[in-house]
Amino acid sequence: MRFAVPSLAMLLAACTSVPDAPAAEREYGVQLYHLREQMAADPLGTLRQVKQAGFDSVEYVGTYSVPQERLCEETQSLGLDVAAVHADWRQLRDDPAAAVASAKAACADTIMLAWIPPEERQTLAQWSEWIGYLNIAAREAKAQGLAFAYHPHDLEFVAVDGVRPIDLMLAEFDPLIAFELDTYWAQKGGQDPLEFLRENEGRITHLHLKDYAADGSMADVGSGTLAFPAILAEARRQGIRHYLVERDDAPDVWESLANSLDSLRAMPLQR
């Protein structure tokens, strides 16, 4: 039997080539709060534009003017993953089963809470009460085949009655509950997002990617002060699944998304 002898060029290529990053590490999505006006006016058309802009997933803020099943159908036809649905706080508290069923109908893999109104979080006792509600909701999500996560802003990193709500959550949440770390809001609350990632490995499943300008305002990814190559490297090392671009106050929403995506794609995939 004769064996083919590889050429010198083939041997050199095999020794020096670097495997391409797994697909999951190259995919970025959009938190649709960034496109809230567009989604309100034309949900399905906006989803198509998101795909055309080069993104691979979306995250909903609530539901829109079409049935959730139609949203699911459209994202599937476009090849968009649905990273999560941010649920209404009242429904999640009062009827978690219905909130989870709605998110599931939209083809989300995670249901999430991202906002508790000020009157509901004035004291540490109120925060503890909400942790109880969310623990119940997380168990309902599991029963329906979905994950559950919480999205902190800056306020969770500011002490209430001497305790930071984020620390109370880390201590008292059911292990079923994960976190969606927003890089800007963590920094705004005085918490280094990279440090938070490192200290809470295994508890974060989603990242919101927005930059922190020198004056404290929001900025497109890559145009502010945050160390995104290091943040992304740590997130990938941990196996974080969803990377979602967002900027709440973008003057031109599509240009902002393009700027952030270009910056992210140009960043080295550190290991």
Side-chain angles (χ1 to χ4, degrees):
M1 181 180 296
R2 296 180 61 189
F3 295 90
V5 179
S7 68
L8 178 60
M10 292 171 63
L11 289 171
L12 289 173
C15 292
T16 60
S17 63
V18 177
D20 195 13
E25 293 190 357
R26 298 195 306 271
E27 294 173 356
Y28 295 100
V30 178
Q31 161 50 261
L32 291 171
Y33 185 74
H34 182 103
L35 297 169
R36 54 196 177 276
E37 294 179 6
Q38 290 74 18
M39 285 297 293
D42 182 8
L44 300 183
T46 302
L47 291 175
R48 296 182 194 114
Q49 285 184 267
V50 167
K51 184 63 177 180
Q52 291 167 4
F55 292 92
D56 297 291
S57 62
V58 293
E59 183 177 46
Y60 294 128
V61 180
T63 53
Y64 302 92
S65 57
V66 295
Q68 286 88 332
E69 292 81 2
R70 182 68 185 91
L71 291 174
C72 175
E73 179 183 277
E74 187 64 24
T75 53
Q76 289 183 333
S77 70
L78 291 169
L80 287 170
D81 290 332
V82 180
V85 170
H86 284 207
D88 176 78
W89 64 274
R90 289 185 187 86
Q91 187 181 42
L92 203 56
R93 178 192 65 189
D94 299 338
D95 193 354
V100 173
S102 178
K104 187 174 182 178
C107 289
D109 74 6
T110 302
I111 184 169
M112 191 173 304
L113 182 65
W115 178 250
I116 300 171
E119 65 274 13
E120 293 281 328
R121 49 175 164 82
Q122 295 297 306
T123 67
L124 206 60
Q126 286 179 305
W127 279 107
S128 291
E129 189 173 25
W130 269 100
I131 288 170
Y133 294 143
L134 299 186
N135 285 342
I136 292 169
R139 291 190 283 272
E140 178 60 40
K142 182 180 181 182
Q144 295 195 41
L146 270 66
F148 190 94
Y150 182 83
H151 175 294
H153 289 78
D154 55 339
L155 61 95
E156 286 86 354
F157 296 99
V158 179
V160 175
D161 299 337
V163 177
R164 297 193 313 171
I166 191 71
D167 295 326
L168 191 66
M169 291 176 175
L170 287 164
E172 296 188 4
F173 268 164
D174 188 297
L176 291 171
I177 301 180
F179 288 91
E180 178 173 67
L181 179 64
D182 186 302
T183 55
Y184 172 85
W185 285 116
Q187 187 68 40
K188 188 75 170 177
Q191 172 67 66
D192 182 303
L194 179 57
E195 179 183 80
F196 189 82
L197 273 173
R198 288 172 173 164
E199 291 179 351
N200 296 285
E201 182 170 353
R203 303 200 66 174
I204 300 163
T205 54
H206 296 60
L207 279 183
H208 274 189
L209 306 176
K210 62 168 76 81
D211 219 330
Y212 189 91
D215 65 359
S217 62
M218 292 182 185
D220 297 340
V221 174
S223 63
T225 63
L226 296 181
F228 272 104
I231 290 169
L232 293 172
E234 178 62 22
R236 290 180 176 115
R237 186 191 68 77
Q238 293 185 22
I240 289 176
R241 296 160 50 212
H242 297 292
Y243 301 78
L244 300 144
V245 174
E246 181 190 30
R247 180 176 167 184
D248 307 29
D249 60 355
D252 182 317
V253 292
W254 294 108
E255 181 180 19
S256 174
L257 287 176
N259 290 341
S260 289
L261 186 57
D262 286 347
S263 293
L264 288 164
R265 285 176 168 171
M267 290 176 188
L269 288 178
Q270 299 179 16
R271 299 297 183 179

